[in-house]
Amino acid sequence: MNNNQMKVTFKIWRQDHSDAQGSLKAYIVDGLSEDMSFLEALDYLNETLVLKNEKVIAFESDCREGICGQCGVFINGRAHGPHDHITTCQLHMRSFKDGDTIVVEPWRAAAFPVIKDLVVNRTAFDRIMEQGAFITAKTGTAAEANAILISKDVADSAMDVAACIGCGACVATCKNASAALFTSAKINHLNKLPQGQPEAHKRLLDMTAQMELENFGSCTFTAACEVECPAEISIRSIAEMNARYIKAKLFG
C-alpha cells in the first residue's frame, strides 16, 4: 500500500431516531489518505454507502475550520479525538495508523439526546443563552472607540472566555455531564465588561437557573472539560461564576 494510503475499520454508532435502539456498526474503509481530515474520511465513507444504496451516516459539520462548534463526536473514547484542544474537523487521519479500528460515538449526556447516528440535540445550550447572553444597549450611532475605557487585562480576560464555540465537548467529557464551563464562559464574557454590568446579577442567576433546569449534572472540578475544550477555557471561569453567585443572590 502507498505510504499515504490507509485502510481502517470505523465502528460508528447508528441510531435511526431518539427513541430507537442504537448500536455500533463496523465499516472497513480502504483508500483513505493520511492527509484527509477526519470529517473528509466520513464523507468518503458516506460516498461508498451511497454507491451501495445504504443509509449514509448522519453527522454535523459546518465551517470545518474549528470555529462553529458543530462537528463534535467521541472518537476512541475522547471528545474530538486523541489530541487536546482541537475540534473534530481539525483532526486528520495521520493521527491514526493504517489498520486501526476507530470507534465513533455521539456526545453522551441526558441533556443532549441523540437525534440520529452522531447528531445530538444541543438546544439546551440555546435556552441557557436566551436567559441572558446579551446586553441591553441603546441602538444608533456607534460610540467613539475610546468612550468606554477597558483595561487590557479585563479585555483579554473577557475575550478568553468569549472564545467558547458551544461545541458541547465539556458536557460530553464530564462524568456528571455538567454544563458549568459553557455557562460560566457565556456569563463571564459579558459580566467582565462595562456593557454587561446593568444585567450582571440577573444574567448570572437566570442562566445558572436554566442550566439546572436542562438536566445537566453538577460540576465537581475534575477539570476534564478544561482538557477537551477547543478554546482552552480554564475551569477558573467556573470558580469565578461560583464566587459571584452569592453576591448575585444578595443583590440581584
Side-chain angles (χ1 to χ4, degrees):
M1 179 177 290
N2 186 297
N3 289 336
N4 290 326
Q5 297 295 304
M6 301 176 65
K7 179 180 180 180
V8 301
T9 299
F10 282 113
K11 285 189 175 180
I12 298 179
W13 185 261
R14 302 305 308 264
Q15 185 172 341
D16 284 338
H17 53 81
S18 57
D19 296 325
Q21 184 71 35
S23 64
L24 289 169
K25 184 172 180 179
Y27 300 92
I28 298 173
V29 186
D30 202 352
L32 296 174
S33 167
E34 65 181 15
D35 294 324
M36 281 181 171
S37 73
F38 190 82
L39 296 188
E40 287 172 334
L42 292 184
D43 289 336
Y44 182 88
L45 170 55
N46 274 342
E47 289 172 6
T48 66
L49 294 179
V50 168
L51 294 175
K52 296 176 183 177
N53 291 319
E54 296 183 23
K55 290 182 180 179
V56 297
I57 297 153
F59 65 94
E60 287 192 279
S61 69
D62 188 7
C63 72
R64 301 201 177 199
E65 294 180 350
I67 298 171
C68 72
Q70 296 300 300
C71 61
V73 291
F74 252 88
I75 303 168
N76 288 344
R78 281 197 66 180
H80 293 305
H83 305 301
D84 298 346
H85 310 307
I86 66 168
T87 57
T88 301
C89 65
Q90 294 173 306
L91 179 67
H92 286 78
M93 292 306 296
R94 56 180 169 267
S95 297
F96 307 96
K97 298 189 297 293
D98 181 40
D100 274 357
T101 295
I102 305 170
V103 181
V104 190
E105 300 173 89
W107 290 157
R108 302 292 190 183
F112 291 164
V114 173
I115 296 174
K116 184 175 182 179
D117 297 338
L118 304 176
V119 180
V120 299
N121 185 337
R122 287 176 290 182
T123 55
F125 274 4
D126 296 332
R127 291 188 289 273
I128 293 173
M129 295 283 283
E130 288 168 0
Q131 296 304 312
F134 52 84
I135 63 169
T136 55
K138 292 181 180 180
T139 58
T141 304
E144 199 279 324
N146 294 319
I148 301 177
L149 300 180
I150 304 173
S151 70
K152 186 177 186 304
D153 287 346
V154 170
D156 287 349
S157 181
M159 288 303 296
D160 285 345
V161 288
C164 171
I165 59 176
C167 67
C170 54
V171 174
T173 199
C174 175
K175 66 179 182 179
N176 302 323
S178 170
L181 191 67
F182 166 82
T183 305
S184 68
K186 298 305 180 183
I187 290 171
N188 292 334
H189 162 217
L190 296 176
N191 280 14
K192 290 174 181 290
L193 299 172
Q195 296 91 333
Q197 293 310 303
E199 302 92 5
H201 294 326
K202 186 176 187 302
R203 176 180 298 112
L204 195 154
L205 295 175
D206 290 350
M207 292 180 70
T208 53
Q210 188 65 39
M211 176 182 68
E212 293 176 3
L213 288 175
E214 294 293 345
N215 207 22
F216 291 108
S218 299
C219 172
T220 49
F221 280 93
T222 60
C225 56
E226 181 180 275
V227 172
E228 303 296 5
C229 177
E232 301 187 50
I233 295 172
S234 169
I235 59 171
R236 289 192 300 270
S237 179
I238 302 174
E240 184 174 349
M241 176 182 72
N242 292 343
R244 293 184 176 183
Y245 183 81
I246 295 176
K247 184 176 180 180
K249 290 286 285 185
L250 290 173
F251 301 107

